[in-house]
Amino acid sequence: MLEAKSLRKAVVPPSLLRDPSPGNIQSTRLALRVNDGGSSCSVYIASGCRVYKIEISMEDFVITKGKESLIIPVNAEVIHSSVVDRCPHRSEIQSVVLTEGGDNCLIMGTVDCYGHLIVSQLDAVGSDIDRLSYSVLPRDCGIGEGSWAGICFSPAHWSTVAVARSFCKSIDVYDQDIHIKSLQTLWYPASLSFFDNPHYEGHSSVLAVAEGSQLTIWDLRTNQNGGCVQRVCGSIGDLIYSLCSSPSGTIAVGGSDRTVTIYDPRRWSAISRWVNCSKYEITGLSFSTIDSDYIYIQGVDYEVICGTWKEGRKAFSFRGDSNWLGFSKCANADVLAGWCDSGSIFVADVVEEHS
């Protein structure tokens, strides 16, 4: 059983960012990292052509619950805020992702609405350093209309990165700044993720993509069928906006039907459905690191729910004060962060409940 240890609310300084850009329905413009010692966390948010870093204190926690297991936030201190100068985009940034690199450094990837990719190396505390940084232009040089674009790093090799472009119906895979492969989807891609299952053969070369109402699986090692090895159809007419995978192998998808569907990659069949778990469309999903039977669900409005997908039971929830612009979970800890269009950032620390 999971419970919220704390829920903090911080406000982006108006002197740093006053009016955030609208972005897209997917809340992929936030990345999160808990600093050493757990006394603070660094939240990276993207607005317009820039990325901003907000360092928030996580000390002196207190938890207050309202009705229906709703967590009430407490105000938190913004220790430091700054602009990240390593991301010189010319168009609106659509996605920000963090991953661990070698030599005790942090890798940050950003992609704008035309598919322009920039990967930068930061030090252990997230400061700008003069290390590896490279930029990759899209294959069509950004011609056409801008749209949502997503990015994900391979869990085995941080130098391998996949970039999805919605209107172009394409996914490009790079090894640093070298283009490896292009995948052509049938529908507009809305989310993508490399497999996070070490027991699945070649998991670091297998990519899961949400396109339209379908979950598609792509193997970068084959050219048969353009690399698509599996196509799982969801409810006709309902769009999938988010997907995630767990180390145990299961894959979760959610979207306009307000239902979380869990798939078993051994049979590619649904093993569980949590129907109507969200009041509005689901645009963010993440499995718990502590217990993969629990999943975090972010709705398009202002609510985040934690619950067990096997039983379809909610453990707790919290709400922002306006619509989410960004939502993310720390890669190696159950710490969540959400950014609202009011400028508020909510950070939730989740632990295992002790009886």
Side-chain angles (χ1 to χ4, degrees):
M1 185 74 178
L2 299 183
E3 64 176 358
K5 176 183 175 183
S6 65
L7 177 62
R8 297 171 174 85
K9 175 185 175 181
V11 178
V12 178
S15 58
L16 182 71
L17 175 63
R18 183 175 296 276
D19 298 312
S21 59
N24 214 297
I25 189 172
Q26 291 94 333
S27 303
T28 53
R29 294 192 294 157
L30 182 148
L32 170 69
R33 182 180 187 272
V34 177
N35 299 326
D36 294 339
S39 61
S40 65
C41 67
S42 296
V43 179
Y44 296 83
I45 57 175
S47 177
C49 305
R50 290 187 169 186
V51 175
Y52 304 88
K53 176 189 174 184
I54 316 295
E55 188 174 349
I56 301 173
S57 172
M58 296 182 64
E59 295 180 337
D60 301 327
F61 66 89
V62 63
I63 191 72
T64 305
K65 288 188 178 182
K67 295 180 179 180
E68 299 180 351
S69 302
L70 183 68
I71 309 300
I72 308 300
V74 296
N75 293 327
E77 176 191 2
V78 174
I79 301 174
H80 179 72
S81 61
S82 61
V83 178
V84 181
D85 295 328
R86 308 277 291 183
C87 308
H89 285 276
R90 295 184 178 180
S91 304
E92 185 185 40
I93 298 173
Q94 295 294 313
S95 296
V96 181
V97 176
L98 293 176
T99 190
E100 297 289 339
D103 299 327
N104 195 29
C105 68
L106 198 62
I107 307 297
M108 180 174 66
T110 56
V111 61
D112 65 22
C113 59
Y114 292 102
H116 182 197
L117 168 69
I118 296 179
V119 177
S120 307
Q121 239 181 17
L122 311 176
D123 65 12
V125 295
S127 301
D128 295 345
I129 53 175
D130 190 16
R131 286 194 184 179
L132 174 68
S133 181
Y134 59 88
S135 171
V136 183
L137 291 173
R139 301 285 289 172
D140 59 2
C141 299
I143 298 174
E145 187 176 356
S147 63
W148 176 83
I151 176 177
C152 66
F153 288 100
S154 168
H157 311 286
W158 68 261
S159 61
T160 303
V161 59
V163 175
R165 299 174 63 195
S166 182
F167 281 0
C168 295
K169 298 181 182 178
S170 68
I171 298 172
D172 294 302
V173 183
Y174 302 93
D175 184 1
Q176 293 194 12
D177 57 350
I178 301 174
H179 183 266
I180 298 177
K181 196 167 188 176
S182 290
L183 310 173
Q184 299 298 320
T185 61
L186 295 179
W187 302 96
Y188 301 115
S191 182
L192 75 165
S193 174
F194 279 99
F195 263 33
D196 195 20
N197 182 6
H199 304 293
Y200 190 92
E201 182 180 359
H203 68 102
S204 61
S205 300
V206 179
L207 193 65
V209 179
E211 48 171 300
S213 61
Q214 300 180 351
L215 167 66
T216 54
I217 308 300
W218 304 78
D219 194 332
L220 305 183
R221 300 167 297 179
T222 180
N223 290 321
Q224 187 176 3
N225 294 328
C228 183
V229 296
Q230 190 67 41
R231 193 173 291 274
V232 183
C233 295
S235 303
I236 302 299
D238 290 322
L239 300 178
I240 300 174
Y241 292 131
S242 181
L243 65 81
C244 64
S245 63
S246 73
S248 61
T250 52
I251 296 178
V253 301
S256 60
D257 60 354
R258 302 181 293 117
T259 297
V260 173
T261 305
I262 310 294
Y263 290 100
D264 184 352
R266 294 171 296 183
R267 302 189 302 269
W268 294 117
S269 59
I271 58 176
S272 179
R273 281 190 176 91
W274 189 357
V275 181
N276 297 334
C277 56
S278 176
K279 187 176 181 180
Y280 295 98
E281 294 92 336
I282 297 171
T283 54
L285 290 173
S286 185
F287 281 102
S288 167
T289 303
I290 300 173
D291 186 351
S292 60
D293 287 345
Y294 284 80
I295 191 168
Y296 301 102
I297 305 165
Q298 177 249 325
V300 73
D301 57 341
Y302 54 84
E303 188 171 19
V304 174
I305 298 170
C306 172
T308 168
W309 53 265
K310 287 185 176 180
E311 303 173 8
R313 176 174 51 84
K314 181 172 73 172
F316 64 87
S317 65
F318 66 90
R319 294 174 181 171
D321 53 17
S322 55
N323 290 350
W324 298 115
L325 294 179
F327 171 78
S328 182
K329 173 187 165 294
C330 188
N332 53 7
D334 276 33
V335 178
L336 315 172
W339 171 40
C340 297
D341 60 11
S342 64
S344 300
I345 296 178
F346 293 82
V347 179
D349 190 2
V350 182
V351 296
E352 190 171 5
E353 182 179 6
H354 297 288
S355 56

